Amino acid sequence: MERRQLLLTALVLPAWAQAHHGWSSFDQTRPLYLEGRVAKVKWQNPHAELELELPARLQLPADLAQRTLPAQSAPVEGQALLARTVLPNRTDRRWEVELAPLTRLAAWKVAEIQPGASVAVVGFTFTGEKGDAVLRAEYLFVGGQVYGLRSSPA
């Protein structure tokens, strides 16, 4: 029985690890801004995911660096992060946005986002913007609210 479990683990773990990348592959020195309409939603663990459809002419909001951010339990230099935020270089119109785990979204009282909703996010993509159009969200802007997704509310 032990040998069978070991074999199963040896076969499944590499496939799972490849499918779910770690956060270390994201470039945390270059925050990106995305906004658009939610095309698809996966409200599940290990983290909620949105497929975001960007407008043809995505623009960085002029007031982004001045927006008020909520306090989080982890130290985050949010205002500095917003001041460094830029638009992506790549021209993909659809991005996969990885939010926080459902327990953290519940702590922030984020209602389940539905397809068709308008949202904006600031976060990080892969170093050099290589690979898939994936953004790990650091801040979520939805329904006039701002949520910090690195940790729970302070």
Side-chain angles (χ1 to χ4, degrees):
M1 184 73 159
E2 259 184 62
R3 183 177 173 174
R4 189 179 212 182
Q5 286 176 328
L6 266 171
L7 181 59
L8 183 59
T9 300
L11 292 173
V12 172
L13 191 56
W16 177 84
Q18 187 175 6
H20 188 271
H21 38 76
W23 298 136
S24 65
S25 57
F26 289 87
D27 181 358
Q28 295 187 43
T29 65
R30 191 169 176 270
L32 299 181
Y33 176 83
L34 302 177
E35 74 173 88
R37 184 186 65 78
V38 175
K40 293 181 185 175
V41 178
K42 291 182 187 174
W43 207 256
Q44 62 191 26
N45 281 314
H47 46 77
E49 297 176 15
L50 308 175
E51 186 176 303
L52 191 61
E53 185 174 319
L54 278 55
R57 296 178 156 251
L58 180 63
Q59 295 182 346
L60 196 64
D63 71 336
L64 184 63
Q66 289 76 40
R67 292 187 182 178
T68 302
L69 297 174
Q72 298 185 63
S73 58
V76 179
E77 294 181 20
Q79 295 307 138
L81 189 145
L82 291 185
R84 292 191 326 268
T85 299
V86 296
L87 295 176
N89 291 324
R90 57 191 304 153
T91 58
D92 300 83
R93 293 284 308 278
R94 285 194 178 228
W95 282 70
E96 179 184 321
V97 177
E98 298 178 353
L99 302 177
L102 295 183
T103 53
R104 191 171 312 146
L105 292 171
W108 282 102
K109 297 180 175 43
V110 178
E112 184 173 341
I113 297 169
Q114 299 297 316
S118 293
V119 303
V121 291
V122 170
F124 306 103
T125 194
F126 299 117
T127 302
E129 294 189 33
K130 295 181 179 164
D132 295 332
V134 174
L135 186 91
R136 185 199 76 172
E138 188 75 27
Y139 287 100
L140 171 66
F141 303 87
V142 62
Q145 297 292 314
V146 182
Y147 304 99
L149 301 182
R150 184 174 300 187
S151 63
S152 298

